[in-house]
Amino acid sequence: MPAATPSKPEVKPLSAPQKALRKLGLDRSIDLALHLPFRYEDETQLGLLRNARDGEMLQIEATVVSCEISYKPRRQLLVVVDDGSDTCTLRFFNFYHNQQKALAVGSRVRLRGEVRGGFMGRTMVHPSFSIAGGELPNALTPVYATSAGLPQAYIRKAVQGGLVQASRSGAFSETIPQGVLPPSVHSAQAGKPQVWSLEQSLYFLHHPTPDVSLAQLEDRTHPAWQRLKAEELLAQQVSQLQAKRERDLLKAPPLALRQGGLQEQLLAVLPFGLTNAQRRVGEEIAQDLMRPVPMHRLLQGDVGSGKTVVAALAAAVAMDGGFQCALMAPTEILAEQHFRKLIDWLEPLLSPLGKRVAWLTGSQKKKERTEMLGLIASGEAALVVGTHAVIQELVVFHNLALAIIDEQHRFGVAQRLALRAKMHDGEPHMLMMSATPIPRTLAMSYYADLDVSTLDELPPGRTPVVTRLVSDARRDELIERIRHQLGEGRQVYWVCPLIEESEALDLTNATETHARLSEALNSCGAASVKVGLLHSRMSPADKKAEMAQFVSGAMGVLVSTTVIEVGVDVPNASLMVIEHAERFGLSQLHQLRGRVGRGAAASACVLMYATGESGRLSETARERLRAMVETSDGFEIARRDLEIRGPGEFLGARQSGAPLLRFADLAQDADLLDWARQLAPVMLDKYPEMAKRHIERWLGGKSDFLKA
Ligand code: ADP
Ligand code: MG
């Protein structure tokens, strides 16, 4: 470990829970105050065993009448308690000595847990308990979304502290003018209508009084919830509108479609005709490019809908005008794929013009890179394809006019801004592509700042992918099936699950799966099957080499940790197995499934699930898997994802890059969205100071994000 520099003031290292808070993005007091519970527990009352229904959450005070360790069927602590109305057996499978001590015979304890009215009498498994007799709380107890290393008690305290501090520092001062709040944030109390302020709403939502309707809290129709959602939507709309106004003042080179130009030539050499959707979207983009203000357009389309061609058509227009176009993809494999396709299509058209395609990636040899930089600076490279390397400082464009970003949600703000800054004089047009669609009408009203084009049609000739759920226990049958596919000359993906806490575990797991599969598939004496392995710790060059073997067909099975690079295109792959499918998010599963069914052969996706100790899947996991079986439409999947994902899971959503909303729900809160949309220009024109404070409160340093 390097020694600390003596001249620096000593900085206390962050504790594990502090680090975990930071990781959840809970830095400022206002962030903590806005970290709302995803459910509540009612600890305000004591109940009686006699009156408890099967499955009810119950809090009681009772006396321990026996306490012993049993070894049948496995080691457990069995405690019998009596609350005067009835008895109940408590079971603990994990317990410490001091817990056992606290439950000694004769102790009075307060217990809270789910009562099961079994055949052998009432039981509670792992109830929480404390000494009896303490004062009962007078508000519901919040339960917060948390993460490993961040105990519920710690986060409760941190949130409470954040709330108080935010209050003191004036973070809740009113930022919405009198009289314009939507009707749903009013509640009639004692005859006169009351408007819920943000501060009141937050205090209430963290500690609601027990008389409140839990239904209103759960479906978020309570005025306190409405206030919060209204605030959030307004912040998004105001900041987007502001970004749009700023951008409208900028200049970009107008790019006109030319008869007989590159785009026409490209269309002539494509091995297929465009779908109607591609044609329509191509037209929308062409219209934007003709204007002297920068395009800012999102192209959304399901996996496999053919976004790359649309990008190539736009690139053709820019290059036809004598300008440069940059295409940036999040990984080298993707960049490589684009590169290969675009070269095939465009290079023959560019070379008569004395132009070339250049590429830039992190793992490139110095000599090659220097050569590429030269081509880009001189303008000889009309098209530049690459990874993040494209936005490095050393890269100087001759005349960049169009920047296209694939899988845009995987790039950070800073990166998108850096790309924009590559234009010396004015701004490039920007086309962002995404395969995680939100329903079109919602997208149009939500993105105040972005024009949205949607590819809502797949190219013809695809055979639908059959999706099946298979329990982990049937692994052997699956191996048979893989063998069969390989026998037919097809290829197979095997995706290992992401184990969030531990990259090392992740790797072991994949390595083992890889070894087991190789052995199983090569044990029957038939021709040998090459099984490859792709994981996150490999160098880009190794990844590329492994991938190349799969693409060429030399490799039969590709085992991969986490996500096979989005966008990988191997039409001969006809079977995808996703192990521990219950651990993946819905849109992730959908993206993965999109890797198969790209050729004419019948394809299948097998979602293998394991139920773990409880013996059953969680309700949301089951719903996700069911959705996968029932539909293959990306927009429908997106809709269900919004529906299934409970408020407690928004953190996951945020990590996956969907820059959407924490509190409001686009589908449910259309009225509030309308309200915010109409108020946004009024805020900027008539109440600029309030608007500024409002954005600061909600987006803090993150407002840049909306401009990128
Ligand atoms: P994505 O939208 O997921 O990026 P791609 O651009 O990779 O999709 O296209 C998927 C596949 O479909 C590619 O092999 C591409 O060449 C092919 N494709 C694209 N457009 C059409 C079309 N109109 N007709 C037939 N095939 C097409
Ligand atoms: Mg793509």
Side-chain angles (χ1 to χ4, degrees):
M1 228 168 69
T5 330
S7 62
K8 275 193 191 156
E10 207 175 303
V11 182
K12 241 174 67 186
L14 292 179
S15 67
Q18 280 170 329
K19 272 191 210 147
L21 277 182
R22 180 86 38 107
K23 215 168 156 193
L24 291 180
L26 303 176
D27 297 318
R28 308 175 302 163
S29 56
I30 183 82
D31 298 328
L32 283 160
L34 290 173
H35 188 62
L36 289 187
F38 70 96
R39 66 182 176 86
Y40 302 94
E41 284 178 353
D42 187 351
E43 297 177 339
T44 61
Q45 291 176 51
L46 295 175
L48 283 180
L49 281 170
R50 188 183 51 218
N51 303 335
R53 282 167 288 114
D54 184 36
E56 183 179 337
M57 274 306 281
L58 183 69
Q59 180 168 258
I60 52 166
E61 290 192 349
T63 308
V64 177
V65 293
S66 81
C67 177
E68 61 184 37
I69 296 174
S70 149
Y71 290 89
K72 274 183 274 172
R74 60 181 180 139
R75 186 169 181 270
Q76 54 184 297
L77 183 66
L78 287 180
V79 179
V80 178
V81 295
D82 186 338
D83 76 343
S85 75
D86 203 350
T87 61
C88 178
T89 304
L90 319 178
R91 287 175 193 281
F92 298 88
F93 296 106
N94 305 303
F95 53 92
Y96 299 107
H97 181 65
N98 55 354
Q99 288 177 311
Q100 195 183 338
K101 248 174 48 192
L103 292 165
V105 174
S107 314
R108 286 282 294 166
V109 285
R110 179 178 294 169
L111 296 164
R112 204 188 128 74
E114 194 181 318
V115 187
R116 287 276 162 209
F119 180 56
M120 311 282 285
R122 298 180 191 282
T123 60
M124 281 190 193
V125 178
H126 278 248
S128 58
F129 63 89
S130 56
I131 298 169
E135 207 176 308
L136 288 167
N138 52 18
L140 299 181
T141 308
V143 181
Y144 296 102
T146 179
S147 64
L150 189 57
Q152 195 57 230
Y154 188 96
I155 197 167
R156 267 185 202 145
K157 233 165 123 183
V159 167
Q160 186 57 25
L163 202 53
V164 172
Q165 203 189 329
S167 252
R168 270 197 211 128
S169 65
F172 298 135
S173 63
E174 189 56 87
T175 53
I176 302 179
Q178 285 283 317
V180 302
L181 281 161
S184 57
V185 309
H186 295 74
S187 69
Q189 230 172 34
K192 54 177 185 217
Q194 182 212 1
V195 177
W196 285 70
S197 72
L198 178 64
E199 183 169 19
Q200 275 172 327
S201 301
L202 284 174
Y203 270 99
F204 176 81
L205 291 174
H206 284 289
H207 302 285
T209 46
D211 60 334
V212 69
S213 140
L214 274 178
Q216 266 202 329
L217 284 182
E218 252 154 43
D219 68 13
R220 302 183 169 188
T221 53
H222 190 281
W225 261 116
Q226 294 289 313
R227 168 80 206 213
L228 216 66
K229 297 200 276 192
E231 288 241 342
E232 178 182 40
L233 286 165
L234 185 63
Q236 302 284 355
Q237 292 293 315
V238 169
S239 58
Q240 289 189 56
L241 184 63
Q242 191 175 23
K244 185 176 177 63
R245 287 182 174 185
E246 282 169 20
R247 190 173 10 254
D248 281 348
L249 299 175
L250 301 172
K251 290 202 173 2
L255 305 167
L257 203 58
R258 194 166 58 84
Q259 270 220 330
L262 269 179
Q263 195 190 73
E264 230 168 77
Q265 295 169 34
L266 173 59
L267 286 170
V269 298
L270 281 182
F272 45 73
L274 297 184
T275 63
N276 286 330
Q278 283 170 322
R279 210 170 295 133
R280 187 193 70 238
V281 164
E283 183 61 29
E284 286 165 5
I285 293 170
Q287 291 293 332
D288 279 1
L289 293 177
M290 275 162 44
R291 302 175 56 219
V293 288
M295 169 171 78
H296 199 56
R297 188 170 280 277
L298 175 69
L299 168 56
Q300 53 171 12
D302 212 344
V303 262
S305 59
K307 294 186 288 295
T308 318
V309 185
V310 175
L313 292 171
V317 178
M319 295 186 296
D320 217 20
F323 290 96
Q324 288 174 302
C325 172
L327 178 67
M328 194 156 83
T331 71
E332 224 159 277
I333 290 180
L334 282 183
E336 165 103 20
Q337 279 206 348
H338 281 302
F339 185 57
R340 195 177 328 110
K341 275 211 170 128
L342 291 172
I343 278 202
D344 288 352
W345 290 334
L346 289 168
E347 189 116 87
L349 307 179
L350 288 175
S351 52
L353 309 175
K355 301 278 182 172
R356 296 182 50 182
V357 182
W359 72 305
L360 281 176
T361 68
S363 68
Q364 220 160 18
K365 294 258 158 38
K366 180 129 192 261
K367 180 160 168 267
E368 188 181 71
R369 158 168 298 229
T370 312
E371 188 201 335
M372 293 295 164
L373 288 176
L375 292 176
I376 297 166
S378 72
E380 192 179 335
L383 182 65
V384 181
V385 186
T387 57
H388 301 85
V390 171
I391 49 173
Q392 274 170 2
E393 274 162 50
L394 285 178
V395 185
V396 179
F397 285 88
H398 177 67
N399 59 359
L400 179 67
L402 171 64
I404 302 174
I405 302 185
D406 198 11
E407 307 299 338
Q408 58 102 14
H409 59 280
R410 292 176 63 179
F411 284 97
V413 184
Q415 292 159 336
R416 275 182 264 167
L417 288 172
L419 189 52
R420 279 173 57 187
K422 286 290 178 194
M423 177 108 196
H424 309 286
D425 173 21
E427 289 265 314
H429 296 283
M430 291 269 267
L431 179 63
M432 289 157 274
M433 305 202 282
S434 162
T436 43
I438 61 174
R440 180 181 156 80
T441 44
L442 289 179
M444 308 268 278
S445 47
Y446 176 70
Y447 291 121
D449 175 38
L450 210 56
D451 298 305
V452 181
S453 291
T454 303
L455 287 177
D456 49 10
E457 182 186 357
L458 291 182
R462 303 268 166 87
T463 36
V465 179
V466 176
T467 301
R468 293 200 26 213
L469 298 185
V470 170
S471 145
D472 205 2
R474 289 167 56 193
R475 209 172 261 263
D476 289 347
E477 283 169 52
L478 208 52
I479 305 263
E480 254 334 289
R481 184 155 179 184
I482 291 177
R483 205 175 269 144
H484 182 76
Q485 289 290 314
L486 295 172
E488 305 264 284
R490 304 264 164 234
Q491 290 166 281
V492 177
Y493 291 109
W494 183 295
V495 182
C496 298
L498 170 74
I499 300 171
E500 183 119 8
E501 299 86 67
S502 159
E503 220 181 303
L505 254 184
D506 230 26
L507 187 54
T508 336
N509 182 331
T511 319
E512 272 169 19
T513 304
H514 174 253
R516 261 188 294 145
L517 271 177
S518 316
E519 196 190 299
L521 291 171
N522 286 306
S523 64
C524 56
S528 79
V529 176
K530 178 138 179 53
V531 181
L533 176 63
L534 202 65
H535 60 78
S536 52
R537 297 253 190 101
M538 284 162 72
S539 72
D542 288 348
K543 276 191 194 171
K544 211 151 78 185
E546 202 75 355
M547 200 62 218
Q549 286 205 47
F550 192 66
V551 172
S552 75
M555 180 186 287
V557 182
L558 180 63
V559 177
S560 156
T561 53
T562 69
V563 175
I564 295 175
E565 309 289 336
V566 180
V568 166
D569 196 21
V570 181
N572 191 44
S574 59
L575 175 62
M576 163 157 304
V577 179
I578 304 178
E579 203 177 345
H580 276 299
E582 78 281 358
R583 292 189 193 163
F584 290 86
L586 190 46
S587 58
Q588 236 178 343
L589 288 172
H590 179 66
Q591 297 272 322
L592 285 170
R593 178 170 61 183
R595 308 296 123 234
V596 289
R598 302 203 147 209
S603 299
C605 174
V606 173
L607 303 176
M608 197 160 50
Y609 62 89
T611 51
E613 277 205 14
S614 71
R616 55 180 180 183
L617 287 173
S618 77
E619 185 58 34
T620 52
R622 203 161 346 134
E623 275 183 66
R624 280 199 296 266
L625 297 182
R626 202 180 302 139
M628 284 295 291
V629 174
E630 284 169 7
T631 178
S632 58
D633 174 348
F635 290 92
E636 175 63 15
I637 294 263
R639 198 187 62 72
R640 297 229 198 157
D641 199 19
L642 279 176
E643 204 176 87
I644 298 171
R645 229 189 307 134
E649 289 186 64
F650 76 83
L651 290 168
R654 197 161 57 173
Q655 278 152 10
S656 79
L660 297 176
L661 298 158
R662 291 167 62 179
F663 304 121
D665 174 325
L666 291 179
Q668 201 191 344
D669 299 317
D671 287 354
L672 287 178
L673 178 58
D674 266 355
W675 166 83
R677 222 179 135 76
Q678 285 177 28
L679 185 58
V682 180
M683 290 292 291
L684 283 178
D685 296 339
K686 287 177 68 180
Y687 308 97
E689 188 273 334
M690 276 180 152
K692 186 161 170 274
R693 275 192 291 126
H694 190 79
I695 295 180
E696 180 61 30
R697 164 151 91 211
W698 276 88
L699 302 166
K702 288 174 236 154
S703 58
D704 254 4
F705 157 79
L706 292 153
K707 296 183 193 154

